[in-house]
Amino acid sequence: MKRVRALFAFVAAFLLVLLAGGAAGATPTHEGILGTGSSWSALAVQQWIYDTTKTGLKITFTDSGSAQGRKDFAAGNTDFGVTDIGYQCQPGKKCDVRDQGDFSSRAYAYLPIVGGGTAFPYQLKVGGKRVTNLRLSGSTIAKIFTNKISNWNDPAITKDNNGRKLPSIPIIPVVHSEGAGTTAQFTRYLARMFPSMWGPFNSGSDAMTEYFPRQGSQVAQYGSDGVMNLISGSSGNGTIGYNEYAYALASNVPVAKVENQAGYYTLPTQFNDAVALTKAHIIMDKHSPDYLLQNLDDVYVNSDPRAYALSSYSYGLIPTASKDSRMTSGKRQTLADYLFYAVCGGQKNIGTIGYSALPLNLVQASFEQLSLLHGADPKVDVSKQSPKNCGNPTFDPAHPTVNRLAEIDPAPPACDKDGAGPCVEDVTKTSANNDPGTRGGHKSGSGNPGTTGGTTGPGTTGTTGGGSNPTGPAKAGTGTQGRVDPITGQIVQAGNRTTLGDAAAVPTELAADHQASVRPYALLAVGLLLLLVLAPPLLVRHLTRGKG
């Protein structure tokens, strides 16, 4: 009997050593987290949720709009938020009367998560065929959304399109009805670039707002999906709205090329956004409540011919207090791992769905912000969060300060210059890669063919929408109207596409952590197996001897 007791004692001690060793090196058990906020960046957020679900993370996100996301976070109703702008009424900060109450006493930090462009999707048919190469200057866009231009045959639109006159069709501007970061990004551009038009329209205030002051023939819709549903619908002829580019791609709706400071009409591709955002000024004062937020004034007037003027970043909103009543070690670990993937491996393919990847300096700043989760709770492991473990496509190991996307973006074609074109896409020579390549050029009434980026990109999809428990990102459809090229914005072919989510592998950044989290349980299983194998023979042997 002594031998049996000794065996059990040995195995028990062995298991305790294994579990203690495993627990010492293990991260906290992941717990589910809840977030709300920006619809502008929602398709990227939902894509990352879909990807990280494969590693065991459980995240629910509702795209209720940036304003609601900040309110939910401040009230302690969520574990994280996503917003396109910061809190507008923090103590000591002058704010508009409509933003009263937009502050948070809950400790927080911002971190950049994705770049992109605010686009102008439209539906316009001439002779039963869709117009897919519309061009608009910033001034014309401002006049459309302040009701100074109300018909598509307006001389200003004709001028933007180098004399091509559109038929007499009433313009129906489609705006957001919710407090939207998309509206804030658009109206900030109007306030800075066209204050003489925006101020009088906006009740005498030349400031940006998240709540568009709908007037006249303008139609308001809730959320990015609502805006796209109206524009893409059977009664949408003559409509034009504003949304993040990803929604236009997902809905197979063309967007207007917008004139930049250099006099070229460009689209919000991942490359053109990256070029424009090299001029963004990021607030780097760590003592400022607006640390890491953006000033886009120089983005609007970037003189690079490739730049897309309405490019911007979106932000995660995370809790940083050690005594935050809503947060646990498991929730903080889930948030840290999810956002690490978002700013690293999650950036690899977002260009094909309509966004632009973060540059190195902002990824590093995001790492610093995520380390605050470890500061609030030392159990949270952020030790692997380094550019060396980051699969971000903007990084060039040989030139770490250079944004690779901006470097490889080709010059726009001559037919996209003011006074030339407009370009008509040659769809027979579309390159099938995601990096820019020579494309056989554009056709136009005047001007020489040029080169532009090439990609197959995403095709017909449905949008994810808001709500909990997403089953996947921006799902594929069958596409009877053709596919929108994310580089050119043109309809290039009909057919199906494979969703980015369906093709995505388990995130390598999280795979090692997932394996580490199950290691203690594997060791326990080994110990129990030893006990089951060794104990019965010894016990039988002891009982047999007792009988003898």
Side-chain angles (χ1 to χ4, degrees), residues 360-403:
L360 176 61
N361 66 316
L362 292 188
V363 172
Q364 290 176 319
S366 291
F367 289 163
E368 292 178 6
Q369 298 296 72
L370 289 176
S371 70
L372 297 176
L373 295 171
H374 173 76
D377 185 346
K379 295 179 183 178
V380 176
D381 182 15
V382 294
S383 60
K384 295 183 178 66
Q385 297 186 1
S386 163
K388 294 180 181 179
N389 303 323
C390 198
N392 187 304
T394 68
F395 296 0
D396 182 350
H399 305 283
T401 61
V402 171
N403 185 323

Side-chain angles (χ1 to χ4, degrees), residues 222-254:
Y222 183 85
S224 296
D225 289 331
V227 169
M228 291 311 308
N229 288 341
L230 178 59
I231 294 173
S232 62
S234 58
S235 60
N237 193 34
T239 56
I240 182 170
Y242 57 91
N243 249 344
E244 208 288 329
Y245 188 35
Y247 287 90
L249 290 178
S251 300
N252 266 342
V253 172

